[in-house]
Amino acid sequence: MTQDQWLILAILAGTVVMFLWGHWRHDMVAMGALIACVLAGLVLPTEAFLGFGHPAVITVACVLVLSQGLHNSGAVDALTRKVLPATAGRVLTLSALMGLGAFLSGFMNNVGAMALLMPVAITVASRLDLTPGQVLMPLAFGTILGGMTTLIGTPPNLIVTSFREEADLGGFGMFDFTPIGLAVAAAGVAFVALVGWRLVPARKQAGIEGFESGSYVTEVRIQEKSKAAGMSLREIEVELAGVDAQIIGIVQKKVKLIAVNPGRRVYSGDILMIEADADALSDVLSSFGLKLEEAVELDDTEKTNTESKDQPDDLAGKKTHNAKMESESDNEDSESPEDDTVQSGEVVLMEVAVLPNSSLCGLSASDSLLRTRYGINLLALSREGERIMKRLRFIRLQSGDLLLMQGPPESISEFASENGCVPLAQRDLRIPDKRKVWQSSLIMLFAIGGAAFGLLPAAISFFIGVLASMALQTVPLRKVYQAIDWPVIVLLGALIPVASAMQTTGTADLIARFLINNVAQGNAVIGLGLVLVVTMFLSDLMNNSATAAVMCPIAIGVAHTLGVSPDSFLMAVAIGASCAFLTPIGHQNNTLILGPGGFRFADYWKLGLPLEIIVVAVSMPLLLVLWPL
């Protein structure tokens, strides 16, 4: 082995370890790998950022914008109402819902398709007398399966075709993935709709309102006349045991105490940190005469201290000033009879899920200006599998978190829309603008047609589609850049030069020879299955785009070592990278349902493992027939 091969292997190993560790976001890890390759002399500084202009990266960004146009126009809502049966049984309804999710994922971002259909799935679960998780997991897996059916269905397909182009074999066409992808998706949807949904753990009894969201951690303040004032924590916990709640901390005189002595007494003004499910919160409040901390008006001093904790002084002052101005404005408005209806408008409690790559990720409630900007409160937070010990307003939010919000429904909807969240209550489907529906649909259709019939390269065809969307306002100009999933774009742009370094140093061929000589024993069919299974395994543990970028050079190397066509091996990478069903971290859609479904980390493999076996069983014969070695 040469020195360059040792270096790229070390960088690659470190990158995979960082992906699996998950402490840093995937795009940060990819950028670190790119810089390491530049510093090691494996990538020329002048070529370090060429990946950001790669056609695959441009195409992914454009597809995300066009997907947003379909969303904004109401085209998906109109399709949903026509496709989903209103009174059918479980099998037919699940088949239709998964089929719709798979179809949409073939032509738009699959995370976007999942987000659009989640509220529908929760409503369907109630009608079918199923737990939400028994519908959400099939829907998530259906949208993942649908992504493999077209070139633009998922980023790994675009990465695979880009590596084929660099191997001087030409890129895959728009529907080259369809024969195998459609067969695998159809088999997967049929299995899940007929049998698989029964393997999904039911985390809540069917037939009751709402859905299992795990335990919330919320804060309640003890009022002067509260029953809890003067009681010991032990006495309070005895009564809380009957409503499935427990005290996990206390704030006395602005000092947070964890694992407090049960004999400690609490008094008026103290704050209890309570862990309870959503249904138990009202029982806790009513039985002790407590009040949710976020509903308690803070005095000016506490507001200033709270909002300036992690903010510069000038910003904190600005927030306090804004809050004061809004308060004065409210007082003035209350004197106007015309505004009485507005001031006495409906206030609701609504749960919203934080989407992957939401702008809220890494921010706290105080950072998000919930009160001053949106006029809403964060009452509680649920993060499945992790007990949250921080003060509620200082908790850094993560994708998959469930937030219990209080405020006017239109304000909560505005907050969710602007910050990348999904309201998990029944939503009124928007009335589609027929003109916008046709415009956005035709733009997508022509962009796909231009690429499918070879009239234009895919990147150019979809870029023209984006320009048309901007000109016709199917995507508002201010939202064009918000529609792009920038961490994925950075991930792709950074990893493409790293993957090229694997080829130029001969490292991909080295790994390929090791796999063929020591595992496959020179058998091409075993080698193909090995590439498929290894790719699928890595995709369950790290980002699917990163998996495709790492495995494509190895797949090409395996094919060259065996002296066979690399097409079947690249297709195996595309299939394996798109089939992440064993863990909640393998795909963003899996992460998205973790909280709303009340799932635990180990719940996914119960349905995911048999589904992955079906994927291998269906795809291997088709690979050998449609893309012969």
Side-chain angles (χ1 to χ4, degrees):
M1 288 180 60
T2 66
Q3 181 180 358
D4 285 351
Q5 289 174 339
W6 280 111
L7 286 173
I8 190 63
L9 279 176
I11 293 171
L12 180 62
T15 302
V16 172
V17 168
M18 293 298 292
F19 278 140
L20 299 181
W21 183 31
H23 183 70
W24 286 359
R25 212 167 59 184
H26 287 108
D27 54 325
M28 294 178 62
V29 175
M31 288 189 289
L34 174 60
I35 294 302
C37 286
V38 172
L39 296 178
L42 303 174
V43 175
L44 295 175
T46 54
E47 298 177 356
F49 302 110
L50 293 182
F52 291 95
H54 195 281
V57 177
I58 302 301
T59 304
V60 170
C62 292
V63 169
L64 292 173
V65 175
L66 296 182
S67 297
Q68 187 65 42
L70 293 174
H71 178 196
N72 292 346
S73 67
V76 176
D77 286 337
L79 182 62
T80 300
R81 288 189 301 212
K82 291 182 179 179
V83 170
L84 291 184
T87 58
R90 291 176 175 177
V91 173
L92 183 58
T93 301
L94 287 174
S95 299
L97 183 62
M98 292 181 66
L100 177 60
F103 172 77
L104 292 175
S105 295
F107 301 98
M108 64 183 293
N109 176 254
N110 45 21
V111 178
M114 181 68 195
L116 285 171
L117 294 177
M118 276 184 72
V120 178
I122 291 172
T123 302
V124 165
S126 177
R127 180 175 68 80
L128 297 178
D129 200 30
L130 296 173
T131 64
Q134 289 177 300
V135 179
L136 287 173
M137 186 175 287
L139 176 61
F141 287 179
T143 55
I144 294 172
L145 288 168
M148 70 174 72
T149 57
T150 67
L151 174 66
I152 63 171
T154 185
N157 289 0
L158 291 164
I159 294 172
V160 167
T161 197
S162 71
F163 275 95
R164 190 173 189 263
E165 289 177 343
E166 292 174 5
D168 296 327
L169 298 173
F172 287 117
M174 177 65 64
F175 298 108
D176 284 348
F177 298 87
T178 304
I180 296 179
L182 189 60
V184 172
V189 168
F191 165 72
V192 175
L194 291 171
V195 179
W197 63 269
R198 295 178 173 87
L199 303 176
V200 180
R203 293 299 178 193
K204 193 168 187 176
Q205 294 180 354
I208 61 177
E209 294 239 352
F211 53 90
E212 179 61 59
S213 58
S215 294
Y216 280 105
V217 174
T218 190
E219 297 176 353
V220 295
R221 185 185 289 266
I222 298 176
Q223 304 295 296
E224 288 186 6
K225 298 181 180 180
S226 169
K227 174 184 174 181
M231 294 178 65
S232 69
L233 293 178
R234 181 183 293 106
E235 293 171 336
I236 297 175
E237 287 185 327
V238 168
E239 298 194 30
L240 288 181
V243 293
D244 194 22
Q246 62 177 330
I247 298 173
I248 62 172
I250 182 174
V251 179
Q252 286 187 323
K253 299 179 180 179
K254 300 184 180 180
V255 177
K256 182 179 71 173
L257 304 171
I258 302 298
V260 187
N261 187 320
R264 178 182 288 269
R265 295 194 176 275
V266 295
Y267 302 96
S268 172
D270 290 348
I271 298 172
L272 300 180
M273 301 171 65
I274 295 179
E275 183 181 51
D277 62 35
D279 295 332
L281 287 177
S282 59
D283 293 334
V284 173
L285 297 176
S286 61
S287 61
F288 288 98
L290 304 173
K291 192 169 185 180
L292 287 166
E293 169 63 6
E294 282 296 323
V296 177
E297 284 295 329
L298 301 176
D299 57 42
D300 290 343
T301 302
E302 188 171 356
K303 277 185 179 179
T304 303
N305 290 341
T306 298
E307 295 183 349
S308 64
K309 182 176 180 67
D310 294 316
Q311 304 289 344
D313 292 341
D314 57 340
L315 181 57
K318 183 178 179 180
K319 291 180 184 177
T320 305
H321 175 70
N322 289 344
K324 182 177 180 181
M325 292 295 291
E326 288 181 10
S327 176
E328 292 174 357
S329 176
D330 288 345
N331 291 336
E332 293 172 2
D333 291 345
S334 64
E335 297 175 2
S336 172
E338 292 80 5
D339 290 336
D340 286 345
T341 303
V342 177
Q343 294 301 319
S344 60
E346 181 186 10
V347 176
V348 299
L349 296 180
M350 185 180 296
E351 289 172 304
V352 301
V354 180
L355 287 168
N357 300 317
S358 163
S359 60
L360 294 176
C361 293
L363 299 180
S364 65
S366 59
D367 294 333
S368 305
L369 301 177
L370 297 181
R371 286 182 173 177
T372 56
R373 182 174 179 181
Y374 299 101
I376 59 179
N377 293 319
L378 171 62
L379 299 185
L381 181 147
S382 174
R383 181 174 299 160
E384 183 62 32
E386 179 181 346
R387 175 173 291 177
I388 301 167
M389 307 303 290
K390 297 181 180 179
R391 292 295 306 280
L392 186 61
R393 63 174 60 89
F394 299 135
I395 294 172
R396 300 292 174 182
L397 303 179
Q398 298 178 6
S399 63
D401 284 351
L402 284 183
L403 312 179
L404 183 62
M405 313 299 300
Q406 178 196 49
E410 61 274 9
S411 298
I412 298 177
S413 297
E414 179 187 5
F415 162 78
S417 174
E418 292 185 0
N419 293 280
C421 297
V422 179
L424 295 179
Q426 174 62 42
R427 59 172 180 154
D428 295 326
L429 296 179
R430 64 180 63 83
I431 300 175
D433 181 337
K434 291 185 178 180
R435 183 171 62 89
K436 295 292 186 184
V437 167
W438 280 110
Q439 287 176 350
S440 61
S441 300
L442 288 174
I443 289 171
M444 178 65 89
L445 185 63
F446 280 117
I448 292 173
F453 293 107
L455 303 177
L456 292 168
I460 300 300
S461 182
F462 285 98
F463 192 79
I464 293 173
V466 170
L467 287 178
S469 294
M470 296 171 69
L472 296 175
Q473 293 288 298
T474 60
V475 180
L477 295 180
R478 69 181 184 278
K479 294 200 178 252
V480 169
Y481 296 103
Q482 296 177 15
I484 299 174
D485 190 348
W486 289 108
V488 171
I489 300 302
V490 173
L491 171 74
L492 296 178
L495 282 185
I496 286 174
V498 176
S500 297
M502 290 179 61
Q503 291 179 303
T504 57
T505 60
T507 307
D509 289 334
L510 182 69
I511 297 173
R513 286 195 300 271
F514 173 81
L515 292 175
I516 293 303
N517 295 332
N518 295 277
V519 182
Q521 301 294 319
N523 187 299
V525 176
I526 295 177
L528 179 64
L530 181 64
V531 169
L532 174 60
V533 172
V534 169
T535 305
M536 195 177 291
F537 173 74
L538 288 178
S539 189
D540 281 315
L541 300 176
M542 64 187 204
N543 181 276
N544 56 2
S545 299
T547 299
V550 169
M551 287 301 298
C552 277
I554 296 174
I556 294 173
V558 169
H560 286 166
T561 301
L562 292 168
V564 298
S565 171
D567 286 344
S568 56
F569 288 85
L570 287 173
M571 276 289 172
V573 171
I575 294 169
S578 298
C579 294
F581 304 124
L582 298 185
T583 69
I585 61 175
H587 194 281
Q588 291 173 317
N589 285 0
N590 292 351
T591 304
L592 187 54
I593 65 170
L594 182 63
F599 294 123
R600 304 187 182 107
F601 193 96
D603 287 339
Y604 288 76
W605 72 268
K606 297 173 184 177
L607 173 59
L609 182 59
L611 185 56
E612 290 197 354
I613 293 173
I614 289 174
V615 168
V616 173
V618 172
S619 60
M620 277 296 294
L622 291 175
L623 284 171
L624 296 173
V625 172
L626 298 175
W627 300 94
L629 298 172

